Amino acid sequence: MPDSPEAVTYLLKLGELTLKGENRGGFERVLRRNARFLLKGTGAQLVATDGRYFIHVAENVAEKIEFALDHLFGITGWAKTRFCEKTVEAVCKVCVEEARALLANGAAAAVKTFKVEARRTDKRFPLESYGIMAVAGEAVLAAIPALKVDVHKPDAVITVEIREKAYIYAGSRKGLRGLPVGTAGRGLLLLSGGIDSPVAGFLMAGRGMSIDAVHFHAYPYTSKEARDKVVRLAETLGRYTLGVRLHIVGFTKAHMRIKEKAPPAWTTILLRMAMMEAAESIAREEGCACLISGESLSQVASQTIENIRCTESRTTLPILRPLIGMDKESVTRIAEKIGAYKISILPYEDCCVLFSPKHPELRGDVEEAAAYYERLEIGALIEEAVRERDEEHCSFAGRRRPS
Ligand code: ATP
Ligand code: MG
């Protein structure tokens, strides 16, 4: 297939993985598994050769391939690449074609300058890297007089790699970077319907973590639409994480108990404590190594450092809070990038919003929190809610995630 005219080849660039020393093999195995999972059904062949990864595929599924590559953690970039015989003439010819394609690509107005970059692992090729840059650059200049060379800030870079074959590509796209999902265990994300928590899950997935999620609803105080919104968020996150198993927990009785027995100022803190306890119980049952939340220091009353301490005082698993030092604008930018923002801002009320007090306790004392919490006698309610939870497999294109 690679040599037929309708076939295209993508070259994948690995980043941080290459720093993994002895463990590199294991990381790469997971990366290949994940790539194959995302590419399933496209007829794509993933080939690890020549110190690089290549995907050979028919042109008519290029869009699907590019979608998959945009959702694959562990690669720093990718490029649609051409390849040719390892002769100086063939390389120059393809460089000129790539430059023409750049101009024809609607980018003509933007591309006025270029440079050729070259790497040579096959030392038998008659030119050194510098020589390739010079000769191929000359060829492009001669063929397209409108273009100029700018080695410092070019509008376009044409890259030549002389390996087993000669690979040539103009314009590569940035990858998600990070580590392949599945190389850092599994975490249970507390997923609300807001902007923050999907971003928290995305960031931990980018450190290699597989993601399960738990959502607490308070039906009928929260609507069916609010639940659907969370499922859609989990599906969106699932594109990056090879799926998400979502646990949906009815927390209405817990809410009611808290409302009935706790001082109003303490309801949010106590609710968070109960959520953490329930989440920890699910995490242990499902083999998750930690909890993940979208808390950000001092974003709201329940997220002052004192209240965060109360929130985590009933649980022992590590709680990862990747947004803790981020401001809302940075979080929102990521939410937009991953496609979650437009879902998060749908107007359905989250249970926490419905039950939040007008004047919340800002600096809860952890011992006072323990005393109020004991008084709730909420353990049995939590157990029941956890036992009766629903599960949804928010999978990528309906596929079961690899174990
Ligand atoms: P927002 O963008 O509105 O801040 P949020 O998801 O951060 O959304 P917060 O009220 O700030 O909502 O809640 C802090 C964290 O607590 C969330 O990021 C989430 O991890 C967890 N959380 C809150 N409500 C729920 C819920 N109903 N189900 C599961 N987790 C929740
Ligand atoms: Mg928040």
Side-chain angles (χ1 to χ4, degrees), residues 13 79-80 95 98-99 102 111 113-119 133 150-160 168-172:
K13 300 177 191 179
K80 202 175 196 175
C95 282
E98 281 295 298
L102 268 180
V111 179
T113 59
F114 79 102
K115 75 169 172 180
V116 177
E117 269 185 357
R119 233 163 278 141
M133 297 182 210
D150 182 343
V151 290
H152 302 295
K153 276 186 116 190
D155 299 327
V157 178
I158 300 171
T159 308
V160 178
I168 295 147
Y169 51 92
S172 48

Side-chain angles (χ1 to χ4, degrees), residues 190-192 194-197 214-216 272 275 292-295 299-300 303 328 350-352:
L190 283 92
L191 183 63
S192 70
I195 295 166
D196 298 329
S197 41
V214 57
H215 175 69
F216 298 94
R272 289 293 151 86
M275 281 185 183
I292 303 167
S293 100
E295 290 159 301
Q299 185 189 73
V300 287
Q303 292 166 35
K328 196 78 184 187
D350 177 42
C351 52
C352 306

Side-chain angles (χ1 to χ4, degrees), residues 85-94 125-127 131-132 135-136 139:
E85 292 307 312
K86 280 188 290 188
T87 63
V88 177
E89 297 70 35
V91 166
C92 287
K93 181 168 169 276
V94 176
F125 192 75
L127 294 176
I132 300 170
V135 172

Side-chain angles (χ1 to χ4, degrees), residues 347-368:
Y348 310 111
E349 290 291 10
D350 177 42
C351 52
C352 306
V353 180
L354 291 177
F355 287 85
S356 55
K358 275 209 178 66
H359 302 290
E361 173 62 55
L362 291 179
R363 310 206 179 280
D365 173 79
V366 73
E367 285 175 7
E368 226 179 311

